[in-house]
Amino acid sequence: MKLARNANLFSRSFAKSFTRFFLLVTVLCSVLGANQAWAQELQAQNLQAQSQQPQSAAGKPDQKSILQDALRPQSLALWNQQGPAPRIKLAVAQNPACPRQAATVLAKDSSSLVRAALASNPGCPDDLKLQLAKDDDQMVVLALLHNPKPLTDSVLAELAHDQQPQTYEALAADPRTPAATLKKLAETPMQTEFLLLSIARNANASPEVVLRLTKMGDRMVRSFLARQARLSSACLDQLAEDGDLGVRAFVAANKNLSKQTLDKLAKDVSLSVREACAGNPQATAETLTKLAQDPQWEVKVEVALNPNCPESSLDALAKDSNIKVRWAVGENPKASPVLLASLAADPEVAVRSAVAENPNLDAGLQAKLANDSQIAVRQILAFRQDLSKDLLAKLAGDSSPLVRKTTALNPNLPEDLAAKLAADNVLMVRQTLASNIKLPSSVYGKLAADSDEQVRAEIAGNGAVPAHVLAALADDISVAVVTTLTMNRACPPGALLKLTQSTDSSIQLALLRRRDLQPDILAKIAEDANNLQRYLLATNRNCPPAVLSVLAQDKDPTIRAFVASNPVLPDECIALLIKDDSRTVRTKLAANPRLATSQLTQLSSDPRRTVRVALAANRSTNGETLKILSQDNEPEVIEAVAGNPSCPPELLLDLAKSTQSWIDRGPILPQR
């Protein structure tokens, strides 16, 4: 349809401009995680200049990505100039458990990255948010809009006053911004296209503000508003007078348009506008009758598809010389049986196909179309769920395997017809039938004994097949069938236990990828497991303690590391792995929430930095152990303590006040 083509062209143009807007907002909101911004701060300390330069459009990062970006090799030299103290403060500022006293200190920090991290922290007190809203650095101000906790009215008022355009645009795009603030933004003298579009998109914008936007000169904003269901009649009437045909076309398609305005647009000189009117579900019979006489077939197609089209107009359109118009009449759910009977004799297969799927098709016409010369018509008919048994029998015996295949999918197949199709000499018919979830149990059993493994595999993967049929397939000679059975959630436990005896690695792996296996099945697999199987066992929450104990003594440290990370690790395994020679194993264990207090204390003195870092980041680590780790000689360990939500408030306050002099331990090297 020409309307569809015009709308698509316009939508692509609209989408490009729209994408640019959100890309800019994303950049400004995610500058907190930009590596380049941090490097520039450390090198030049010119943060105000940096905040005016967008850094990265990669998307909104989490807060910890700031540190990860900063530790990239190209930034190590700049980090060394400042020492690790800024990173410690940054971790405290990001910590959701940051206490008020520490937040008060960090709100005055010299680093805008620290202040920005605090501004985006959901635990930041409201009075400090107000203080940060007055910050000289735009990055800090924008970070407030990144905060998941709603801002107070006083903070919003500050953000809506005397700010940079980027702040206004981000504030307008925030779905939490109230109507009063949006009204202020709409009245600000800095009216950028992005700002207006953000206000228009915000569901909180008041009718008064929306009406104001419909009268403004930005075509993109008006086009967006014209498509909104929430638009008032006054706004739609205003946009219906728009000089841009794209805007009028969008208005004409709006289902909330008044009858008077719709009738007026139905006389529009633009084809796209009249076409949109014809397709509007609110169009009246009177309007559609007039549009049915339109000289353009595109308009008549939309009229013929409209359920509100009167019968007299449908009768006239059914005789139209254009095949697309007659097809549309056949698709109309309000077409009468008499009208469908005339279209069922149409010489064009597309028209008869439309009739074959019409919900008003009666049994007589169904029988007529079952004899249609075109396979496509009979295929479409076979999809119907209101066919009689006699008609299903006729289609099940059709000369075309494509028709029989479609019939095999019908959920209303009686047992005798399903059995007949199960014996069909064409593979795709039987295979399709095997995927049907509404067959009698006896037919499933017959298909499970099919000579072709593709049919049996389809049965093996069908969740509606009875348990006893699936259980029988566990003895199938085909690996493909058994593997498919293994992945079927309806496979009975007895069959799964039998499958553990298979020597085929693909079947064993398929079993282990299931996360609902019973412990006895896992124990059976563990008796003769290879490396990959042992890995899957080690990470399975249902793995029996006895199996985990064996795996904890595996000669491969990678397997032992996976065991160490299992959240249901038994105490005897912890006691064994805590003494492991592998740093990787102990690091994984240090991150496990199952550790007891004595074990936490033991790991806090581990000689390997990675172990202590993992322990410091573990939310289950108690306050006493975190205090010990806060005195570590490695900055990364202290940083992990500072970012741990379980860190005691008094310790976070101390870390927030930390300076380079007391943690200067030499250059920071890449992770060992």
Side-chain angles (χ1 to χ4, degrees), residues 42-157:
L42 296 177
Q43 188 174 35
Q45 294 296 316
N46 188 7
L47 302 182
Q48 180 62 31
Q50 294 170 34
S51 65
Q52 307 301 324
Q53 302 175 3
Q55 300 299 324
S56 169
K60 185 173 74 173
D62 57 45
Q63 296 179 358
K64 290 189 177 180
S65 65
I66 302 170
L67 176 56
Q68 294 169 352
D69 285 344
L71 283 177
R72 290 176 181 169
Q74 63 266 33
S75 301
L76 289 177
L78 294 173
W79 271 108
N80 292 337
Q81 293 176 11
Q82 294 291 317
R87 292 167 41 209
I88 306 299
K89 295 179 180 179
L90 185 63
V92 177
Q94 294 170 333
N95 196 321
C98 180
R100 178 181 180 82
Q101 289 179 298
T104 302
V105 173
L106 295 172
K108 301 175 183 178
D109 196 88
S110 60
S111 169
S112 64
L113 283 176
V114 172
R115 302 196 306 277
L118 180 64
S120 64
N121 192 325
C124 182
D126 290 336
D127 59 325
L128 293 183
K129 289 180 184 177
L130 182 59
Q131 176 183 328
L132 293 168
K134 302 174 183 179
D135 200 282
D136 293 333
D137 195 298
Q138 193 70 14
M139 181 175 65
V140 178
V141 177
L142 286 170
L144 284 168
L145 298 174
H146 190 59
N147 196 308
K149 186 177 179 181
L151 301 175
T152 62
D153 291 341
S154 57
V155 175
L156 288 170

Side-chain angles (χ1 to χ4, degrees), residues 600-622:
L600 293 170
T601 304
Q602 183 177 346
L603 287 172
S604 67
S605 59
D606 195 282
R608 287 292 189 173
R609 175 189 59 178
T610 57
V611 177
R612 303 195 305 278
V613 169
L615 186 66
N618 190 332
R619 293 194 175 200
S620 298
T621 302
N622 57 24

Side-chain angles (χ1 to χ4, degrees), residues 205-328:
S206 65
E208 176 190 356
V209 170
V210 174
L211 182 59
R212 175 190 175 97
L213 293 175
T214 63
K215 301 176 181 179
M216 305 189 79
D218 193 286
R219 173 180 178 271
M220 185 168 68
V221 174
R222 301 196 313 275
S223 298
F224 174 81
L225 287 172
R227 294 179 294 166
Q228 303 310 301
R230 61 186 172 91
L231 218 58
S232 66
S233 297
C235 292
L236 288 171
D237 292 344
Q238 174 69 34
L239 292 171
E241 302 287 344
D242 202 281
D244 186 275
L245 71 88
V247 174
R248 297 200 308 277
F250 283 130
V251 173
N254 196 307
K255 65 179 182 179
N256 290 331
L257 199 62
S258 66
K259 177 183 179 299
Q260 294 78 9
T261 305
L262 189 61
D263 288 342
K264 181 179 180 180
L265 289 175
K267 303 171 185 176
D268 199 279
V269 296
S270 170
L271 165 63
S272 299
V273 177
R274 300 197 308 277
E275 188 178 358
C277 285
N280 194 314
Q282 300 302 319
T284 62
E286 181 182 355
T287 300
L288 292 172
T289 299
K290 295 176 182 177
L291 289 171
Q293 302 171 23
D294 197 281
Q296 299 294 327
W297 66 265
E298 294 94 336
V299 177
K300 289 188 284 188
V301 164
E302 292 299 327
V303 172
L305 288 171
N306 199 314
N308 296 332
C309 185
E311 187 175 346
S312 58
S313 295
L314 284 176
D315 289 340
L317 293 172
K319 301 178 180 67
D320 197 275
S321 60
N322 191 297
I323 178 179
K324 299 182 181 68
V325 177
R326 302 198 306 277
W327 164 85

Side-chain angles (χ1 to χ4, degrees), residues 8-76:
N8 285 337
L9 289 173
F10 177 77
S11 296
R12 286 196 291 269
S13 173
F14 178 82
K16 289 179 181 177
S17 300
F18 201 62
T19 301
R20 288 197 298 270
F21 163 65
F22 281 103
L23 184 60
L24 178 61
V25 172
T26 302
V27 168
L28 294 171
C29 289
S30 62
V31 71
L32 186 61
N35 177 46
Q36 184 179 355
W38 179 265
Q40 288 177 344
E41 180 199 6
L42 296 177
Q43 188 174 35
Q45 294 296 316
N46 188 7
L47 302 182
Q48 180 62 31
Q50 294 170 34
S51 65
Q52 307 301 324
Q53 302 175 3
Q55 300 299 324
S56 169
K60 185 173 74 173
D62 57 45
Q63 296 179 358
K64 290 189 177 180
S65 65
I66 302 170
L67 176 56
Q68 294 169 352
D69 285 344
L71 283 177
R72 290 176 181 169
Q74 63 266 33
S75 301
L76 289 177

